[in-house]
Amino acid sequence: MIPVTQPFLPPKEDYEKKLELIWEKKWLTNNGYYVSNLEKMLESELNVPNLKYVTNGTLALQLAIKALDIQGDIITTPFSFVATTTSILWEKCKPVYVDIDPTTLCINPDKIESAITSNTVAILATHVFGIPCDVEKIEIIAKRHNLKVVYDGAHAFGVTYKGQSIFNYGDISTYSFHATKVFHTVEGGGITCISDELVTKVELLHSFGYFGEDFYLPGINAKATEFHAAMGLCNMKYIKQNLEKRKRISEQYNMMLPKEIQVIHIKENVGYNYAYYPVMFDSEDVLLRVISNLQTKEIQTRRYFYPSLNKLSYITENFDCPISESVSKRILCLPLYVDLDEYIVKEIADIIYSVIEGRN
Ligand SMILES: *Cc1c(COP(=O)(O)O)cnc(C)c1O
């Protein structure tokens, strides 16, 4: 079986060595030694002003909305993982979907303004597959209408735009360090805020609103553990080499697959992370045939993202997102992980050609 993704694991001895200090210190959670170390290392590696490491990427999104203290409508993308929407709903705000740009697959900034009403409080957009949103246009719109901007950067670890981290845009950006992501800590997430005031608030909120001897805010428990941070520190050692491997595999796909189904086109001013390898077909019918032909060879793929989030059963209002709905039906993520063999890429390409050319 070829999985669509496979978590990277560092040599077991690396992790075992890290465990020794945990046993020695007997400090397992609550801003421990490894948690602080990982935060500092990520801040310097990614060149972001601050990074609060938390339990997972979904709580990171919820904390971001909570810290901004907003209530009302949040303009968001229909083409993302479901957590982008559920975090809005959990914070008792309303998601308002704006269709995506057909080339970047991120929210279409030119369609945002017509969706803004007096209830709009923020924009929550996803750098989908690690492709940067049009952060500059979004910033102009947000300033003009006095809106907060949150970026779901779950796919965007290590991505740069114009030479700096994509996490330096917006008011808050969130990370996911889940096992399936480019950089992981088994489970985990992170938050980067541009303002110091927000950093302090996120710090408080992630740990019951508690500091010193006082309870300042109604917080939650989103604390990360020493065991998870230790995995992150082990994985950091291999991140450069892993990104290189992902790049190599993606370039092999680029070479072997028909140009017209390729989705990721990296702009000159973007440093990309090769987080996913999506392809898009002419119709859902072709997509389903590709999936089943790959399945017979025990090659797994994932319909990422399907359905378009505005079509979720619990979203009852109608939103006009024809591009997202069409893309969702036709897009497929192919296997991509550091240990994926080159001959599998070739096999996948052959199967896809055979379907497109009507031989299967
Ligand atoms: C993975 C993911 C999340 C959620 O992250 P978890 O760490 O799994 O909670 C949020 N948004 C997007 C776009 C994701 O892919």
Side-chain angles (χ1 to χ4, degrees):
M1 170 66 105
I2 302 296
V4 66
T5 181
Q6 190 174 74
F8 170 79
L9 279 168
K12 209 163 147 199
E13 308 78 66
D14 287 16
Y15 191 70
E16 282 167 352
K17 220 187 247 155
K18 287 265 186 291
L19 294 182
E20 281 169 22
L21 193 75
I22 300 182
W23 259 256
E24 208 175 288
K25 286 184 180 285
K26 297 186 169 44
W27 184 296
L28 310 186
T29 183
N30 288 18
N31 289 320
Y33 175 78
Y34 286 145
V35 166
S36 314
N37 264 304
L38 181 65
E39 288 174 342
K40 284 194 198 88
M41 185 180 270
L42 289 170
E43 283 166 4
S44 82
E45 284 292 318
L46 300 171
N47 217 346
V48 291
N50 58 76
L51 189 151
K52 187 64 218 160
Y53 175 44
V54 297
T55 319
N56 60 59
T58 306
L59 273 169
L61 281 167
Q62 288 176 218
L63 282 165
I65 298 171
K66 185 74 86 188
L68 290 169
D69 202 9
I70 45 182
Q71 278 295 304
D73 296 358
I74 299 183
I75 288 179
T76 190
T77 175
F79 191 67
S80 183
F81 184 56
V82 71
T84 316
T85 281
T86 57
S87 61
I88 295 173
L89 294 170
W90 270 73
E91 296 310 320
K92 297 274 182 277
C93 292
K94 188 182 115 179
V96 171
Y97 298 97
V98 165
D99 209 357
I100 55 171
D101 176 303
T103 54
T104 65
L105 307 184
C106 296
I107 198 165
N108 186 338
D110 297 331
K111 292 189 176 164
I112 290 178
E113 278 195 300
S114 60
I116 294 174
T117 69
S118 56
N119 291 329
T120 312
V121 288
I123 300 168
L124 169 46
T126 301
H127 304 300
V128 74
F129 301 134
I131 306 164
C133 291
D134 192 334
V135 288
E136 279 149 357
K137 272 193 188 166
I138 290 173
E139 186 171 326
I140 291 168
I141 295 165
K143 283 227 169 81
R144 194 183 292 149
H145 298 274
N146 196 23
L147 304 177
K148 302 293 182 191
V149 178
V150 179
Y151 286 112
D152 180 343
H155 297 177
F157 185 89
V159 170
T160 59
Y161 176 66
K162 292 188 173 170
Q164 66 162 316
S165 169
I166 196 68
F167 289 86
N168 284 327
Y169 292 87
D171 295 288
I172 303 192
S173 297
T174 63
Y175 311 72
S176 166
F177 306 136
H178 180 256
T180 56
K181 306 298 206 270
V182 164
F183 167 77
H184 81 88
T185 66
V186 188
E187 292 271 3
I191 303 172
T192 284
C193 313
I194 300 306
S195 99
D196 291 340
E197 196 190 332
L198 274 179
V199 179
T200 312
K201 211 161 165 190
V202 164
E203 283 272 354
L204 276 173
L205 284 171
H206 102 291
S207 180
F208 315 105
Y210 180 67
F211 184 75
E213 297 291 315
D214 266 313
F215 297 94
Y216 292 90
L217 290 165
I220 197 165
N221 180 359
K223 287 176 283 134
T225 78
E226 289 294 273
F227 292 82
H228 292 88
M231 179 63 87
L233 287 165
C234 292
N235 285 344
M236 271 311 280
K237 254 175 49 189
Y238 298 89
I239 186 71
K240 281 212 169 69
Q241 135 189 0
N242 286 349
L243 289 174
E244 264 313 305
K245 284 187 185 165
R246 302 182 83 94
K247 180 177 182 191
R248 221 164 47 226
I249 297 162
S250 302
E251 285 172 349
Q252 280 163 4
Y253 272 128
N254 287 344
M255 262 169 17
M256 291 184 190
L257 289 170
K259 280 275 168 294
E260 55 286 6
I261 69 167
Q262 298 180 19
V263 171
I264 309 263
H265 305 285
I266 305 151
K267 295 203 179 114
E268 247 167 56
N269 49 22
V270 171
Y272 189 53
N273 66 355
Y274 304 89
Y276 296 89
Y277 198 89
V279 287
M280 188 149 55
F281 302 101
D282 286 342
S283 68
E284 190 173 20
D285 177 59
V286 176
L287 172 131
L288 293 173
R289 276 190 290 139
V290 167
I291 293 173
S292 88
N293 274 280
L294 288 169
Q295 197 69 55
T296 60
K297 292 278 159 63
E298 305 224 321
I299 297 169
Q300 209 182 55
T301 53
R302 188 164 296 154
R303 296 189 71 173
Y304 219 40
F305 296 98
Y306 177 83
S308 184
L309 296 174
N310 58 304
K311 289 292 184 185
L312 287 165
S313 62
Y314 44 84
I315 301 295
T316 48
E317 202 175 319
N318 261 328
F319 294 95
D320 191 32
C321 304
I323 296 171
S324 174
E325 287 170 31
S326 165
V327 165
S328 292
K329 286 183 187 135
R330 297 181 293 119
I331 202 161
L332 189 67
C333 281
L334 301 180
L336 176 59
Y337 49 91
V338 295
D339 290 326
L340 183 66
D341 280 321
E342 195 172 333
Y343 79 92
I344 301 289
V345 173
K346 172 86 171 67
E347 191 180 352
I348 292 170
D350 288 345
I351 292 169
I352 289 177
Y353 263 108
S354 78
V355 174
I356 288 177
E357 292 168 355
R359 288 181 277 122
N360 257 310

